[in-house]
Amino acid sequence: MIGGLFIYNHKGEVLISRVYRDDIGRNAVDAFRVNVIHARQQVRSPVTNIARTSFFHVKRSNIWLAAVTKQNVNAAMVFEFLYKMCDVMAAYFGKISEENIKSNFVLIYELLDEILDFGYPQNSETGALKTFITQQGIKSQHQTKEEQSQITSQVTGQIGWRREGIKYRRNELFLDVLESVNLLMSPQGQVLSAHVSGRVVMKSYLSGMPECKFGMNDKIVIEKQGKGTADETSKSGKQSIAIDDCTFHQCVRLSKFDSERSISFIPPDGEFELMRYRTTKDIILPFRVIPLVREVGRTKLEVKVVIKSNFKPSLLAQKIEVRIPTPLNTSGVQVICMKGKAKYKASENAIVWKIKRMAGMKESQISAEIELLPTNDKKKWARPPISMNFEVPFAPSGLKVRYLKVFEPKLNYSDHDVIKWVRYIGRSGIYETRC
Amino acid sequence: MPYLGSEDVVKEVKKALCNPHIQADRLRYRNVIQRVIRYMTQGLDVSGVFMEMVKASATVDIVQKKLVYLYMCTYAPLKPDLALLAINTLCKDCSDPNPMVRGLALRSMCSLRMPGVQEYIQQPILNGLRDKASYVRRVAVLGCAKMHNLHGDSEVDGALVNELYSLLRDQDPIVVVNCLRSLEEILKQEGGVVINKPIAHHLLNRMSKLDQWGQAEVLNFLLRYQPRSEEELFDILNLLDSFLKSSSPGVVMGATKLFLILAKKFPHVQTDVLVRVKGPLLAACSSESRELCFVALCHVRQILHSLPGHFSSHYKKFFCSYSEPHYIKLQKVEVLCELVNDENVQQVLEELRGYCTDVSADFAQAAIFAIGGIARTYTDQCVQILTELLGLRQEHITTVVVQTFRDLVWLCPQCTEAVCQALPGCEENIQDSEGKQALIWLLGVHGERIPNAPYVLEDFVENVKSETFPAVKMELLTALLRLFLSRPAECQDVLGRLLYYCIEEEKDMAVRDRGLFYYRLLLVGIDEVKRILCSPKSDPTLGLLEDPAERPVNCWASDFNTLVPVYGKAHWATISKCQGAERCGPELPKTSSFAASGPLIPEENKERVQELPDSGALTLVPNRQLTADYFEKTWLSLKVAHQQVLPWRGEFHPDTLQMALQVVNIQTIAMSRAGSQPWKAYLSAQDDTGCLFLTELLLEPENSEMQISVKQNEARTETLNSFISVLETVIGTIEEIKS
């Protein structure tokens, strides 16, 4: 149960404050500002207890969202609620920024009114909420009969996440496989930990109540099918992937997944996250970073970093950025790189090397000479890891969408008429190589 | 900024609201109202325009209505008479054909927190409960709880409660969940909503239809249900199985808790459940949502308390990444420290060693303490790493390493030699009080093995005048005196100087008194000094007792998925302690003042306990250390002098008892784990005449009583009786606090 919800900007000014329960007073708003936002030391925990009141906070860019309660609640649920709140707001007005919050101030109060009542979460699906929120506020009495009946059918309907009577002229769906690949590598090139956390996001513009079936190259499914045709196993055996764990949107019938491992569902209208998964085995690491740091005397460092792209030569990686940390007492840096642009950024204590595009199976190198100021500080430089950012047009986990079939028995369109788009994007999560 | 100039603002807004031109232009009118709400958000008191806002509520514009209702809900308690004017509009809206308007009006009306509103809202709520739109029913159901809250202690309306119970069968899933929440609040005095078999089964069948919030809530309510038979229990577990893999971590945790509680008599089921949620928990621990990751890590630590090996094969998942926030790193280090085993110790230590040189001093120190923790089991490797760290000659590292050494030497005497070899030279890199104290203590206690110990202490004595911390001076006095006993020739002169300084020049009274005390003690004679100062240099048994013995799952299952693992048990106890005191006022100080850690004995009880020994002509000598072997020998050779049975009910916290016993100078020699059956403990104590009291406590939960057997090495009834009365008081106090 949530007693109140506050939104602050980075200075601690209150942008939104909504109190749901009597036990949360106005002073709670100030208590959080003073104790957390204005606190000198870094944030100790996302859950703070001030005067027997628990504050759960989440930060999005420089906006603080805080949920407040006096009860012994389950923390995971409160954070999930805050994330959901952010998602809903983002679905309405895009990025969560001070400006957006200020200009959508009425809308946010409307949302807060609908998704929480007396501190209890109510309906929070963006699609379903759309019926209640009068963003432009021109409805009211002019509301048509049809819309009214929609509310009634929606609120009594069995399926909370989709309203009935949706119609599109063009039935279209978009599937995005978004993965972030995380790596921690030792200087010797040994993988200390690597995992991919991925999401399958679906944007559906389908009429009626379509029944969808989604298939991917999950090892367990392929093996099951492979029993019948040995031929197929040999063909696809290599390409199947082992998923460590996965979770689905509420709309997926879990019982069917457990028994047949098939993913079938009636999708919500618009964008939603179909599944979330994690793999740790056989990850394709798109880049390999080979660092070489040599200390030449007390006032000079020589750094050489080689990056190798490790994927099909026909694919192009984009937005590549390598961040090579430099010691605090750096006085000057000379950089030579074969490709892209590199700059020493004194304010960030790092050499930032940017490459716009890079094809697979290529190699590039940067070397830098770092001049150091002599210090009497005996502190040894801690050598933070070299981190990397990039975007590649494939899924580092190896996941492939095999099919997505759509059935709508009541309306006259078939699977073939639906236009389907699939896209794979692999991004770097925390991709670090120690040096 | 807010709070200033509010009068002008109110005046200006009021003028705008009354302006007929603005009223005619809907957009401008709404803009003014928005401004009012914005001021309200910023904390400005705009209750002055209440009247005008009430007028603005009579509109067809739903957005305007929503804003005005929000305003009224905030200020109604301040202006109850004016708020009554709005009731009319609200009542009218409650019978609007549009369900959204009906719902909105009903919700706002129930949220007007002012006296006397009940009589107006009762009828609309009852109508709302039977509304055909589920949107209105949802609002009405929660409205019942709000109405009950308004007049706190009033009688529970039986008819309403029955109606709510019947609404549990409503078609709409959110209405069902709201009903549970509402009933819970209304029936709080009677222990909340009753979950009987039909209700439980009904809820179980509806589970898959609910959204994640509903599922989490229902899982929480189901904790209350006691299945009649084993068969039913397993049916329920099978039904709920899929929720262990839900996409929402909150639901996963809720389901896990329910499983753990329902299967409390089947440890293998509990273990099985924990194995199955390993995947989801690990996923949450490496998720990008940092806050959830933090919560998951807290729960992982909780699980590790009972199943130390549970995550050992996944130790790499808990390696910190450079860019993670501080709070996650600290949690991960704690987890790493707890899941260490023979196979991964090398890699974990390697990783932790890397953290010790982190830029953040806080994090580096946490990593060093973690290595210190692991050192209790893997002493040699850890001491080597710590010694290497000293080589870095960094202040913030050296001080923590020395503190770790001090704690370690006390628990693992086998590493004394290595520590003593590592110490020379680190005095140059220690500036803070804690570090100095630790170093001085080590030099004092183990000085005979460190060749330059007297000279290091001498340096400290030279600089004693500029020393700012009295605690360091005290430590220095004790250490130097101890070292004097083992190496008199080198220390005599320095000790003399220090004593002179402390007695003649020192301004801090405690230090001065300590100096005087030692001076007088030295006058009595060297043997006496030895007897008093040369206490044992280590206590390995303490480590075993202090070690987080594997606690059964049941002792934390009820705390799972609450704030307890997030705050830590100790911190939570202090929070809830204050909350308890606040809620029950002065009637229940005993329950509320007792916490799992912190002051172990409530103040008032402590006095009582400490007075007792004097009254019984019995003085127990503190810190009388007895080895386990000696205890066993003596125990077997003596006859039972006294046997007694005390009533004992409910749960039991051995550490509490141990601490309480220590307060009255009764030492615990050995003790079974919490929750083991039967539970046993062996205690020893000695009085000032040298008479030994050996005690066995035996707790058999089925008899709900504690059996005490006391043996004495000199048969003296009067001291025996007073010893037993001391023991009785302690146990009685614990029992009292606990209940």
Side-chain angles (χ1 to χ4, degrees):
Chain A
M1 177 201 314
I2 293 168
L5 240 163
F6 308 129
I7 302 180
Y8 304 83
N9 66 6
H10 66 288
K11 285 183 263 175
E13 286 166 8
V14 192
L15 303 178
I16 299 287
S17 100
R18 181 78 166 85
V19 173
Y20 294 97
R21 311 279 303 200
D22 298 346
D23 54 357
I24 302 299
R26 175 81 207 173
N27 49 3
V29 187
D30 301 323
F32 182 75
R33 174 183 37 238
V34 172
N35 287 296
V36 180
I37 302 183
H38 290 171
R40 290 246 173 75
Q41 74 273 47
Q42 45 191 333
V43 179
R44 289 245 137 212
S45 153
V47 189
T48 320
N49 194 289
I50 307 163
R52 299 177 293 286
T53 312
S54 298
F55 293 79
F56 299 77
H57 77 259
V58 166
K59 233 183 138 186
R60 287 282 181 274
S61 60
N62 53 9
I63 296 295
W64 299 74
L65 288 101
V68 189
T69 183
K70 282 214 165 176
Q71 251 69 35
N72 186 4
V73 292
N74 25 14
M77 220 60 222
V78 177
F79 282 124
E80 259 180 74
F81 179 80
L82 285 174
Y83 297 149
K84 187 83 208 177
M85 178 77 210
C86 291
D87 288 350
V88 171
M89 289 200 289
Y92 273 98
F93 54 76
K95 196 171 168 274
I96 296 178
S97 63
E98 182 170 354
E99 200 189 329
N100 273 341
I101 287 179
K102 277 186 173 161
S103 50
N104 287 288
F105 161 85
V106 178
L107 168 71
I108 296 174
Y109 272 120
E110 267 193 272
L111 283 172
L112 286 177
D113 220 27
E114 291 299 336
I115 56 180
L116 272 181
D117 189 6
F118 209 35
Y120 296 111
Q122 305 285 309
N123 205 339
S124 59
E125 285 302 318
T126 322
L129 273 172
K130 285 222 154 104
T131 7
F132 300 108
I133 305 295
T134 51
Q135 197 180 2
Q136 292 310 313
I138 11 174
K139 288 175 184 171
S140 143
Q141 296 242 300
H142 309 289
Q143 205 170 28
T144 56
K145 271 268 162 59
E146 193 189 33
E147 273 170 324
Q148 271 193 33
S149 66
Q150 229 175 51
I151 291 181
T152 335
S153 76
Q154 203 278 307
V155 289
T156 50
Q158 289 293 320
I159 298 174
W161 56 86
R162 189 181 179 96
R163 59 194 170 95
E164 271 172 71
I166 298 171
K167 275 199 197 81
Y168 287 103
R169 219 149 49 89
R170 223 156 89 113
N171 287 302
E172 223 172 350
L173 65 87
F174 300 83
L175 268 181
D176 282 343
V177 178
L178 307 171
E179 295 196 338
S180 83
V181 49
N182 298 281
L183 169 75
L184 187 60
M185 195 177 252
S186 75
Q188 290 77 32
Q190 187 194 6
V191 176
L192 292 175
S193 80
H195 74 267
V196 168
S197 59
R199 306 185 296 145
V200 178
V201 175
M202 181 168 167
K203 214 185 270 181
S204 72
Y205 302 107
L206 300 170
S207 315
M209 282 293 190
E211 175 77 41
C212 298
K213 212 170 161 193
F214 173 71
M216 55 182 177
N217 58 340
D218 177 8
K219 205 173 201 166
I220 299 174
V221 178
I222 301 229
E223 271 166 15
K224 235 184 213 171
Q225 290 171 342
K227 268 176 205 160
T229 52
D231 191 32
E232 205 187 341
T233 345
S234 59
K235 242 197 294 175
S236 56
K238 240 187 219 165
Q239 284 156 3
S240 61
I241 59 160
I243 287 181
D244 281 28
D245 49 73
C246 54
T247 56
F248 295 101
H249 185 267
Q250 189 195 2
C251 66
V252 175
R253 291 186 194 89
L254 286 173
S255 53
K256 254 194 164 159
F257 180 72
D258 286 342
S259 58
E260 309 162 26
R261 207 127 168 129
S262 78
I263 303 166
S264 60
F265 54 96
I266 297 176
D269 195 32
E271 187 171 323
F272 73 102
E273 189 181 285
L274 176 63
M275 73 179 272
R276 207 173 251 262
Y277 57 92
R278 216 169 50 96
T279 71
T280 48
K281 287 194 196 72
D282 301 325
I283 294 169
I284 309 161
L285 296 170
F287 286 96
R288 169 81 208 278
V289 177
I290 305 157
L292 239 166
V293 181
R294 214 157 62 90
E295 293 181 28
V296 189
R298 285 190 57 103
T299 57
K300 206 168 151 196
L301 270 181
E302 276 180 12
V303 180
K304 201 171 109 181
V305 177
V306 180
I307 60 168
K308 284 184 181 169
S309 58
N310 179 30
F311 44 87
K312 267 193 236 156
S314 57
L315 299 175
L316 273 180
Q318 286 185 314
K319 300 177 191 167
I320 301 150
E321 187 184 292
V322 183
R323 188 170 279 269
I324 306 160
T326 56
L328 294 170
N329 54 338
T330 302
S331 64
V333 176
Q334 270 104 46
V335 209
I336 309 164
C337 58
M338 295 173 10
K339 230 181 149 193
K341 280 180 188 159
K343 235 189 200 167
Y344 166 62
K345 295 199 173 165
S347 57
E348 294 165 41
N349 281 316
I351 299 169
V352 180
W353 177 25
K354 283 184 183 169
I355 305 173
K356 275 201 187 126
R357 264 176 235 99
M358 188 166 172
M361 306 316 266
K362 286 264 165 44
E363 196 177 304
S364 194
Q365 183 183 337
I366 184 172
S367 40
E369 275 185 24
I370 302 170
E371 305 276 343
L372 303 177
L373 288 171
T375 52
N376 39 13
D377 189 7
K378 277 176 276 170
K379 217 174 200 175
K380 220 176 134 211
W381 179 42
R383 287 205 189 175
I386 295 175
S387 59
M388 212 184 152
N389 287 315
F390 54 78
E391 200 179 293
V392 288
F394 62 89
S397 68
L399 183 129
K400 289 256 161 48
V401 176
R402 290 171 63 219
Y403 56 81
L404 198 141
K405 294 180 192 144
V406 182
F407 311 95
E408 167 57 6
K410 283 189 201 141
L411 298 175
N412 56 349
Y413 71 92
S414 72
D415 186 38
H416 296 293
D417 305 327
V418 180
I419 307 162
K420 301 168 191 168
W421 307 84
V422 183
R423 182 164 64 159
Y424 298 91
I425 301 175
R427 291 203 183 92
S428 52
I430 295 169
Y431 203 86
E432 294 176 342
T433 307
R434 294 183 176 166
C435 61
Chain B
M1 266 311 284
Y3 306 112
L4 295 173
S6 83
E7 276 170 41
D8 291 344
V9 168
V10 171
K11 230 180 258 169
E12 189 205 320
V13 174
K14 198 175 212 164
K15 219 164 90 191
L17 281 173
C18 296
N19 187 336
H21 293 298
I22 291 179
Q23 281 178 358
D25 184 344
R26 222 171 50 195
L27 269 180
R28 276 176 74 192
Y29 198 33
R30 204 210 288 170
N31 272 336
V32 178
I33 292 168
Q34 273 188 38
R35 250 173 62 208
V36 175
I37 304 289
R38 192 158 285 158
Y39 291 136
M40 188 177 94
T41 306
Q42 287 170 358
L44 212 68
D45 182 9
V46 280
S47 60
V49 293
F50 202 95
M51 194 64 215
E52 287 72 22
M53 290 295 270
V54 170
K55 273 187 206 148
S57 71
T59 170
V60 290
D61 182 354
I62 289 204
V63 174
Q64 187 170 328
K65 254 193 210 297
K66 282 188 179 175
L67 290 175
V68 173
Y69 288 164
L70 176 68
Y71 174 91
M72 289 202 293
C73 294
T74 314
Y75 288 116
L78 294 178
K79 308 253 169 177
D81 41 339
L82 288 177
L84 281 180
L85 295 176
I87 294 267
N88 232 336
T89 330
L90 285 168
C91 281
K92 213 171 71 204
D93 280 352
C94 280
S95 44
D96 194 276
N98 184 346
M100 207 162 85
V101 177
R102 289 204 298 274
L104 175 66
L106 190 57
R107 184 165 56 216
S108 311
M109 207 145 78
C110 299
S111 308
L112 291 175
R113 280 166 286 207
M114 56 179 200
V117 78
Q118 301 94 300
E119 48 180 309
Y120 301 99
I121 58 175
Q122 202 149 21
Q123 198 50 47
I125 286 181
L126 288 178
N127 294 342
L129 289 177
R130 292 175 201 126
D131 202 290
K132 65 179 191 301
S134 60
Y135 181 69
V136 182
R137 291 202 301 276
R138 292 175 190 170
V139 173
V141 167
L142 280 184
C144 299
K146 293 181 190 169
M147 184 163 70
H148 182 80
N149 257 22
L150 267 178
H151 41 157
D153 48 347
S154 73
E155 295 228 332
V156 175
D157 181 352
L160 191 68
V161 169
N162 282 340
E163 179 123 20
L164 285 176
Y165 268 118
S166 67
L167 271 174
L168 282 176
R169 310 258 162 200
D170 197 279
Q171 266 220 321
D172 183 75
I174 299 185
V175 172
V176 176
V177 181
N178 279 356
C179 262
L180 286 173
R181 294 158 168 164
S182 193
L183 281 169
E184 177 72 11
E185 297 214 9
I186 295 173
L187 301 173
K188 206 192 268 161
Q189 304 284 339
E190 292 150 43
V193 54
V194 178
I195 307 284
N196 56 21
K197 190 169 173 180
I199 293 181
H201 285 214
H202 168 67
L203 291 175
L204 283 167
N205 288 330
R206 295 296 296 272
M207 273 296 274
S208 56
K209 299 268 170 15
L210 306 177
D211 59 4
Q212 50 178 332
W213 324 117
Q215 286 174 352
E217 200 96 30
V218 169
L219 285 170
N220 206 15
F221 280 114
L222 283 176
L223 289 175
R224 228 169 261 184
Y225 179 61
Q226 284 285 332
R228 302 283 158 73
S229 63
E230 222 166 277
E231 207 174 320
E232 193 191 353
L233 170 83
F234 285 104
D235 277 348
I236 294 179
L237 296 189
N238 282 332
L239 256 173
L240 292 176
D241 201 62
S242 62
F243 295 97
L244 287 176
K245 301 254 156 188
S246 163
S247 70
S248 147
V251 173
V252 174
M253 302 250 232
T256 311
K257 179 173 183 179
L258 183 65
F259 271 62
L260 293 180
I261 299 262
L262 283 183
K264 60 172 171 265
K265 294 202 184 105
F266 306 93
H268 63 281
V269 178
Q270 287 181 326
T271 320
D272 190 48
V273 168
L274 291 174
V275 169
R276 298 188 34 175
V277 294
K278 215 183 204 176
L281 265 180
L282 280 173
C285 285
S286 49
S287 85
E288 279 126 73
S289 328
R290 279 152 174 186
E291 295 78 12
L292 262 183
C293 174
F294 172 78
V295 174
L297 284 169
C298 292
H299 283 89
V300 164
R301 283 180 60 194
Q302 181 84 80
I303 293 174
L304 281 174
H305 283 318
S306 296
L307 305 167
H310 200 57
F311 290 96
S312 290
S313 51
H314 300 275
Y315 66 95
K316 280 189 178 171
K317 291 274 176 315
F318 301 101
F319 282 4
C320 299
S321 147
Y322 187 68
S323 47
E324 273 167 346
H326 200 60
Y327 51 81
I328 290 190
K329 285 186 183 171
L330 293 181
Q331 288 294 335
K332 282 194 172 171
V333 167
E334 294 277 332
V335 171
L336 279 176
C337 184
E338 274 167 68
L339 53 68
V340 134
N341 65 13
D342 291 347
E343 277 139 49
N344 60 25
V345 63
Q346 207 53 47
Q347 286 88 333
V348 169
L349 283 177
E350 201 61 38
E351 183 70 17
L352 284 173
R353 189 225 303 261
Y355 304 156
C356 294
T357 48
D358 195 273
V359 208
S360 154
D362 259 6
F363 180 49
Q365 298 186 341
I368 296 171
F369 279 129
I371 294 179
I374 296 173
R376 290 178 193 183
T377 351
Y378 302 96
T379 315
D380 295 341
Q381 286 139 298
C382 296
V383 170
Q384 197 193 340
I385 291 180
L386 291 171
T387 312
E388 282 165 24
L389 286 174
L390 286 178
L392 294 174
R393 313 196 149 268
Q394 300 272 308
E395 252 171 51
H396 71 279
I397 293 177
T398 311
T399 161
V400 182
V401 171
V402 172
Q403 287 171 50
T404 314
F405 276 155
R406 174 194 54 193
D407 300 343
L408 198 59
V409 165
W410 184 252
L411 296 175
C412 312
Q414 70 271 25
C415 67
T416 314
E417 198 56 49
V419 168
C420 290
Q421 277 170 14
L423 279 181
C426 30
E427 67 277 0
E428 292 162 27
N429 296 307
I430 297 184
Q431 293 303 328
D432 66 319
S433 147
E434 285 291 320
K436 279 186 191 165
Q437 285 177 51
L439 179 65
I440 294 172
W441 185 89
L442 278 168
L443 291 173
V445 174
H446 297 288
E448 76 273 7
R449 305 195 199 190
I450 307 169
N452 71 340
Y455 308 103
V456 177
L457 288 181
E458 186 171 6
D459 279 345
F460 277 110
V461 173
E462 303 276 84
N463 299 324
V464 76
K465 274 187 197 151
S466 51
E467 179 58 61
T468 40
F469 305 105
V472 174
K473 295 180 191 167
M474 303 261 252
E475 200 67 70
L476 191 57
L477 264 170
T478 314
L480 201 54
L481 192 59
R482 276 199 182 126
L483 195 59
F484 170 70
L485 296 176
S486 55
R487 301 167 73 166
E490 292 154 295
C491 296
Q492 187 171 12
D493 177 48
V494 189
L495 180 62
R497 269 188 281 155
L498 182 64
L499 281 176
Y500 178 83
Y501 166 79
C502 288
I503 296 166
E504 296 292 327
E505 289 175 45
E506 177 58 41
K507 296 208 178 62
D508 188 279
M509 269 310 150
V511 179
R512 217 176 90 94
D513 280 350
R514 177 77 64 94
L516 275 170
F517 168 69
Y518 285 150
Y519 178 69
R520 290 180 194 130
L521 192 62
L522 282 166
L523 289 183
V524 175
I526 209 73
D527 293 335
E528 196 63 13
V529 179
K530 271 190 185 148
R531 200 175 68 79
I532 288 175
L533 270 184
C534 293
S535 45
K537 294 185 175 183
S538 67
D539 183 10
T541 50
L542 189 65
L544 296 176
L545 286 172
E546 211 182 56
D547 228 24
E550 293 167 37
R551 284 186 285 151
V553 173
N554 283 334
C555 73
W556 50 261
S558 59
D559 289 338
F560 197 79
N561 199 23
T562 64
L563 286 176
V564 180
V566 175
Y567 283 132
K569 207 160 182 154
H571 187 191
W572 176 255
T574 39
I575 296 166
S576 50
K577 166 177 120 182
C578 303
Q579 235 159 16
E582 196 178 60
R583 210 178 294 131
C584 350
E587 311 139 17
L588 283 169
K590 270 179 197 147
T591 38
S592 54
S593 60
F594 185 71
S597 92
L600 275 138
I601 303 224
E603 284 309 315
E604 69 265 43
N605 292 349
K606 206 187 231 162
E607 280 162 26
R608 244 171 66 200
V609 174
Q610 273 171 340
E611 273 163 21
L612 267 162
D614 304 329
S615 61
L618 165 92
T619 321
L620 293 177
V621 181
N623 294 330
R624 168 68 207 181
Q625 296 294 339
L626 220 60
T627 62
D629 291 349
Y630 180 65
F631 180 90
E632 197 179 329
K633 234 184 269 162
T634 330
W635 177 260
L636 292 175
S637 67
L638 291 172
K639 278 203 192 103
V640 175
H642 181 91
Q643 204 155 30
Q644 192 179 357
V645 168
L646 287 179
W648 187 271
R649 262 164 284 99
E651 282 200 33
F652 186 65
H653 304 282
D655 353 350
T656 335
L657 181 66
Q658 192 192 343
M659 295 302 278
L661 288 168
Q662 225 153 42
V663 171
V664 291
N665 296 329
I666 300 178
Q667 259 62 44
T668 314
I669 301 294
M671 189 179 259
S672 350
R673 265 183 221 148
S676 45
Q677 294 174 354
W679 181 90
K680 273 188 183 181
Y682 290 96
L683 318 169
S684 91
Q686 189 173 26
D687 71 2
D688 48 355
T689 61
C691 176
L692 264 179
F693 300 94
L694 306 182
T695 315
E696 179 195 57
L697 302 181
L698 176 66
L699 183 69
E700 272 169 323
E702 60 266 32
N703 307 344
S704 68
E705 57 195 16
M706 162 129 29
Q707 193 181 345
I708 305 174
S709 333
V710 182
K711 297 186 180 181
Q712 201 182 12
N713 67 351
E714 290 161 301
R716 273 189 299 177
T717 7
E718 69 279 47
T719 49
L720 180 65
N721 286 341
S722 34
F723 175 75
I724 285 161
S725 80
V726 170
L727 202 60
E728 258 176 22
T729 325
V730 174
I731 291 168
T733 317
I734 298 275
E735 165 93 353
E736 220 170 272
I737 294 161
K738 183 172 54 76
S739 56

